[in-house]
Amino acid sequence: MLLSEQDQFLSYNGEVLLFQLSKPKHAEEADDKTMNLCVRRMVFNRDTKLFVQKSSGVFSLGASHSKIEIICCSCTTDSRTGIILPCILMKNKKRNTVKYFLLLLHSSNQFEPSFYFKLDYELKEDVRLFAGPSLLWRHANKLFYISSNTCVVQSAPVQLSSVVWTGDIVGEGTVVLGIRTACLPETEDPDEFSISDRAIWGSEFFGYTIQTQKMLSGTCFMPHAYSRVVSSVYVCKSERLKKQLRISLVAITHKNQLIWFQNGVPKGVCELPYEKPCSVKPALTRRNDLLFVVSFASGNSCVVQRRDSLQVASKWQKVKSVLVDDFIGSGSEQLLLLFNDDADTDVLSTFKITDLGEVNYASGIIYKHDVPAAEGLQENGLLTVRALETRLQAGWTSVRELQQHLGLQKRVILESCRALIDLVEERTHILPNSKEVKCRRCLVSLWDDVENPVDSLGKETSLASEVPEHFTEELWHRVVGDRLVVGVKLTESFHLSLSEVSLSLVMDQDFSSISPIIKCQSKIIKLNKAFSALAVSSSQTEPPPKKMKLDLHRKNDLKKEFPKRSSRIQLDGAKTVTAVTSLSPLLAFHRVCCVVLLHARKQNHQNDSLQQSKKMTVLCGKILLSLEDISNDRYSVKMLRDNSYCTGSMEDILAVLAVSVRFSFQIVSCDCTLTPVSSWLLGEMECTPFKECQDNIFCHKAGNVHGTIFNWALKNPFEGVLTVFCRNLIVLFQCLHSLTRVLPPSCSVKLLKSGSKGVLTEQLALALEKEILTLKNSLFLKETKAESSLTWGNESGKKMNNAPLASLLDTEEGVQQFRKKFQHEREESVRTMNQTMNGALYQEIALKIAEAQLSSDMIVWRLA
Amino acid sequence: MKRRRGTEPEPEPERGCLRAWAAHSRALVGQWMTARCGGEARQVRRQQRDEFRELLLSIRGLPAALPTLPLELTVLYNSLLFTVGASDSAIKGEAEGIRQGLLRVLEACGACGQDLGMEELWQKVLQEVTMEELQAPLHRLGALQAAWWLAASRLGSVAGLFQLMSTAEDPGRAHCSEGQNKLLSMIKAWQVPPEGASLPLVQSAKDLKEILCTAAAFLQGLQELEAGNFPTALSLLQEAAGGFCSKNILAQIYTCLGCCSLRMGKPQTALQHLKRALQVDFQCLPALSHVAAVYHELGETDAEMQALTLLYEALGKNPPAAASSSPYFLMQTELLVHTPVLTSLLRHHHPSEVKYLLAQRCLQDGRVADAVEHYLDFLSLLQEGLQQQVPLDGSSALPRIPVVFLEAASALEQAGRHQDAITVCEEVISRTTDLIPRVVRVEERLEQPECPLPGAGLAGGLLSQKESLCCLAWRAAGYLHQGWAWAKLGESKEAVTQFSRCLSDLLRVQLHGSGIKQIENLQAEVEVLQKIRLLSLIGRGTQFLELGRHKEALLDFQHSLQISPGDQAAASYLVQALWKLNRKQEAAAQWQKFSQGSPGEDGRQQQGQGRPLPLYLVSCLEQAMFPHSEPLARSIQDYLGAAAQDTS
C-alpha cells in the first residue's frame, strides 16, 4: 500500500484507526520542524449511524531539516506478546540517506518505536509488513528483510522479479511467494500437450521461507503459467496433509481476472470489471459467503462472491479505501468503503458499511426505522425470498420432469409413426429399382450326383442344339486374390426365358483319381451400365397437368406423380452368371482346361410358367489356366484411378463383385438429410465411380478397405440403401465403424437380409399364388379326368373371398394359417369328391404341390 | 489424483496448464457426445456452454503463447458452437469471440490488429500467421466466421474469407467451372482440415462445411428469387435441396422452389415441389397454402377448396410453432437463413384467414350453402376475440371486417336466409353510423397528388377521406342488401324505405370539380358508390312497380340511366315502367333505342372493363337484372307490329 496521501486508515478490532501527520497546534511551544503523528480511534455508532471518535493519541517526531512520511501501516503480530498490534512504517529522508522506523500502537494510544534502519535508497517495490513485526522489500531484483528481533537488514539469496504474497504457511513460518525467470529443464516430452508451463511462458513461482531460508516449490500455490500474469495473491488456507502442502488461494492478474486456486489447480475464474487490479483481501460476512474485495489502481473497488462460481457481486468507483472488519459489532465482518470526497473536511463522513446482505449503512441517509426493526424486516424479506427460491426450485424440477415425460411421449409417438409409415410403405409399395446391382445367390452346385460327367456332357451338348445359338455373349475368367472367377454373359433375350441359372466347371482332362467336378459357387450379377446418379439433369420442362387426388397424406400417390429425379436410362439388362472357385487346388495341375457348363430351367412362356419348365444344361466353352498366366498376372483384376473415375473392364468389376460378400444396409435419418453418406464415400473413403457403371463406386483408400465396392441408392432425402461388397467381415466392420462417425446420431442403420423386404414380400405373394394355382389346377385336372359333377370351383371361390389375402401374407404365422386353411379345404374337397384317383396322377400332383410349397417356404425363411 | 498422491512419495510431475486444459476440453466434448442423445439436450447445452466459456476464460487469463494456441482456438470453436446451440435462435451480430481469438493469435506472433475490421483481421491473420499447427484450428474458426457472416447475409465477406483460406492451400483451384455459383464452388473447394483425436470437436468442420454449402445456396437462391432471376434462383435452390439439412429446412427449400416455379409460369412443377415439401414435413403448412394459391391460379376450384380445407384442419390440430430442431447439431442451417423474403414466403396463415378464403372462394364460385357455413364460422371466430383470431400484421389476406360482414350477408341472401342477411347488415350499419361525417366533400385537387413531399398532412387528409368513403360505401351497401332482402320477403314498403335510406346516405358525398376521373386516388371508392346508387335506384324502382307506383318507379329508372347510361337492366325496367304507364309508344321507342344501341351489352360486361366489383355487390347486381325481358320484348314487338300494320 503505497499511499502518498497523508492520511492512513487501518481497521483494528472493529475500530477505524486514522493516522495523520500534522504540525503541532501550538507553534510557539516547539519550532517549525517538529511533526506530530496523530492517531484517532473512530467507532461506528449504531444509533446515530455515524462514526465518532473514541480516543486519540499523539506521537511527536522531532525531526529537523527532514521530510517525514508515512509509508504504510498494517496490523501484525508482536512476537514478544503474540498480540496483533497496529504498526506503522515511517520514513525520514535526510539528504542522501533515508531513515526508516517502525512504530507499534498500543491500546492506550501510545506509540512504541520498534526498530529503525538506514538505507541509501528509497523503498519502493513490494514493501510488506509481516509478523515480528518485520518488514521486507525488493530492490534491484533482490529481496531484503528486517525484523524487530534482529534489527539487521538481511538479503535472501534469490533473484526475483516481484513478490506477490507474504505470510504464514503452516509448518514453514513466514513465506514469501515470488516470481522469477524460469530455469528451463532441458528434456522435452514429445507429447504435444506436455510442454511445461515454464517452457511456454518463461517464468515461475517460488516460495522462500524467511526463518529457515529454504526454497519451496511454487506449484503447490499455482501453475507456473500464472507467474506471467499474477499481480497479487491472498492465501486463504494452508494445511498439511500427509506432508503435502495444500493451499487455497485467490489471485488477481494483469488480465483483469480473479482466479481461485486449490492445491495448485485453478478452480474458478472471474472477470473483473475494471483494469489494473492491485490488491485483494477476503471478508467473511454473515451469510458465510466468502467475499473477495479487489481494489484497483484507478481507485475503483469491487467485491467478488464465491458461491457456485465466482461472480462480481458489487462494484464502486472513487473509493479511497476499503476496510474489512466487524464495525457494527454484529459478529461477522462488513466492508467499510471510504469514498473520495473533495469537499468534505471531516474524516469518515462519506462512507458505506455493507456486507452485501442485510447490513447496509451509508452516510447521508436518514433512517426512518429503528435498526432492529429494520433488521427484522430484512430478515423476513430474506426468509420470504428463500422460501420463494425453494418453491421456484421445486416448480422448476417438476416442469423439467414434465418436459422429460413429454419428450419421451413424443419420441414414442414419433417412433410408432415411423414404424407405421415403414410398414405401410413396405407393404404397398415396391421398392424402386434403386438396386442397380442384383446379385442373387443361387444354387451351390456340387454335382456329386453326376456319375459320368463325360457321358452327361455328351448328352447335354446334344441338348444344346435346341437352344438359340446366341445365348451367351462372352466367356471370361479372372483371378481375384486366391480365387478364380469364371463369368458367362447371357444375352438378354435368353436370360429372360431362364430361371435357376447356375454354372459348373468340369475339368476337361481325365484324372482318374480326382472328381472332375470343381466345387464352385454361382451368382447372377446384373449391372446397370453407364448411368450416374450424379449426372442428373433437372427437368426444365413443365410436366403436363395431371389429375391429382388431393389426399396429400398418402405418400404413394405422390410418389407416383413425382418420377424419380434420377430418371432411369434404359437398362442394359445383360446378366452375367459367375462361378467362383478356389484357385490353389487347380494350380496343382500345372495346366488346366475347364469346361464351363450352364444349368438352367427353361421357362415355358406359353402358359405363364404354370407348367413346370424343363431343366437344361448348356456348354458355354472352355477356359485354359496355366501357371505362367497366373504368375504373370494375366488374369488379375486391374482397377485404376483415372481422374474422378475408376477404370476397369466390366469383367474386372464383375469378378470383384462375384468374390465379395454383399451386405445391404438401410439407412434412415429422422431429422436431417443423408448427404453425409455420399460425402463420406467420396471424401473419407476416397471412392470413385466406375466409368462403366457409375452407380457402383470403388474405394481407393489405402489399407484393408481398398477394393471395397459400394452402392449408395437414395430412396428419398431421408432414406437410402447402402450396399457394401467387401472382401471379408473385418473390412465391413471397418467401413461401418467409419460410417457411424460420419452419420448424424439420429440415423438408424439396419441390415437388409438377402434383398429388401419389399422385394421378398412380393416374391412370397407370387410363390403363394403359384402354390394356390398349382393346387387348383391339379385338382381341376383330377376333376376333369374323373368327370365329377360336383362344382368345386364355386366353393373354393367363396372360401378364397372370406380370407383376405393381404392381411394374411404379412407374417409367417399368417402364411402358416393360410396354408392350414388351404389344407383343410383340400381335404374337404377330396372328401366331397370321394373319388378314386389314378396313382400316377396323384404322384404328379403331390410332387408339384410339394415343390410349390418348398419355394414359398424358402422365401418365408429368407424373410424371417 | 488423490490416489496418486498417496502412492507416490516423490514430487509429482509438474502438471502444466496446457495439459490440464486439453484434458478438460476432451472431457467436456466426451460429456457432450454421450449426453446429446439424451432427452435433456437443452439443459446439457447450457451447461456445456458455460463450462466451455469458463475454460476459455481461464485460457485467456494467460498471455497468448504459440504452443497453447491450437488448443485455445479449438476451445473457442467448441465454445462458440455451444453459444449458438444453446441460444437456439438465429445467429445475430458479430462473433466477438472470434475477434478476440484472432487478436490472441496476433498477440502470440507479436503483431497487433486492434483497430482492424473483421475482414482485414482475417486477412492479416491468414496471410501472416504461417505456423503449420495453427492452420487447422484457424480454418475451422474461419468456417464458423463464415457461418456468422452468412447469417448476416454478408456473402461478399464469406467469399473473401474462403478465397483467403483456399489460396493458402492451392491457388489453382480458385476458379470455378462455367455456370456454377462462385461462392458455392469456393466453399466446396475448401479443404476441411482433418480432425485430430487430441483436440476433439463438438461438431465436425465437415458438418459445418455441408451446412455452409446448403445455407449459402439457399440464401443466394432467395436473393435471386427476390431479384426476379428465376432460373438462377431455381438452380440454386435445387442445389440447396440436395444439401445437408433438416426436414424443416428441406421442406422450406421445396416451398421456395415451388414459389419460384410458379413465378416462372410453371404451375405443375410448382405443385410438384410443394407436394414434395409436404411429403418431407407436413408441418410445413405454408406449402399447403401455396398449393391452394396455385390451384386458384389454375382455376381448379375443387382442388383449391380441398387444399384450403386441409390447411384449415391442419392449422386447427397443431399450433404451427411446434417445430423441433435436431438435438444433435449445434450449428444448423435454420440458424443461418432468416431473410425477410423467406419469412414472407413461409408466412403462416392464421386459421381465420383460411376460413375467410374458403368462404370467399365458395361465394365466388356460387357454392352458396358452403359459403354461408364458412362465413358463419368465420363470424363466430370473430366473436371469440378479434385479437387472437386475426393477425394484425398488415400482410393478412383478410379484407376489412365490414366487407366480410357484407359478403356474409350476400351469401345469406343468396341462400334465401333473408332475415339473417338483414340482421348482419344491421350490424354493419350500426357500427359505421358514427364513423361517417355528415358531408364528404371529394374535391378536385389542382396540385398533383403524387407529390407528397411537404404534404404529409394532405396525404393524411386524403387517407381519412378515403376511409370515410369506405365507411359510407359499406353502410350504403348494408341498406342496399336490406332493401333487396325485404323485397325478396315481399315487404315492398320496407324495401323502399331501405333503398331510400341508402340513396339518402349516398347524397352525403359531394363531388366537386369536373368529374370523378380527376380524383385518382379515390376513384375506386367513388365507382363503388356510383354502383351502389345505381343498384339502389333500380331496386327502389322495382319495388315501386310492385306497389303500383309506376310514376315514381319511372323516375328512379330514369335516374339510374343517368348514372349509368346504357345499363341494360335499368333500360329494360324503364321500358316496362313506361309500358305499365301505358305510354306504349315511348316504351317502344326506348326499347328500340336500347336494343339497337347495345346489342348483347351486359351490365356485367360493362363492369369487366373497369375495376372488379366488390364481391358483396355481385349478388345485388344479379338481383337487379331484368327478369322478364322475353315477354316484354314479345309484347313490344307485337305492339310495334300492330303499329306498323296500323300505319301501313
Side-chain angles (χ1 to χ4, degrees), chain A residues 815-847:
Chain A
V815 174
Q816 293 292 354
Q817 204 184 331
F818 192 75
R819 180 169 296 150
K820 255 183 217 161
K821 225 172 208 174
F822 218 96
Q823 219 138 19
H824 180 69
E825 253 168 40
R826 193 177 51 182
E827 281 164 20
E828 202 177 53
S829 68
V830 169
R831 230 183 299 123
T832 44
M833 284 190 285
N834 195 19
Q835 296 286 337
T836 51
M837 193 185 238
N838 184 352
L841 187 64
Y842 176 77
Q843 213 172 13
E844 194 189 324
I845 290 169
L847 184 70

Side-chain angles (χ1 to χ4, degrees), chain A residues 192 197 540 542 562 673 679, chain B residues 198 210 245 266 268-269 272:
Chain A
E192 61 176 315
D197 289 355
Q540 291 290 322
E542 169 85 347
F562 290 112
T673 53
S679 52
Chain B
S198 56
E210 303 241 359
C245 58
K266 297 177 177 175
Q268 298 297 332
T269 318
Q272 290 192 353

Side-chain angles (χ1 to χ4, degrees), chain B residues 223-244:
Chain B
Q223 286 183 354
E224 297 292 342
L225 185 64
E226 197 178 17
N229 305 328
F230 300 123
T232 324
L234 198 72
S235 73
L236 280 165
L237 288 173
Q238 268 166 350
E239 176 93 37
F244 178 67

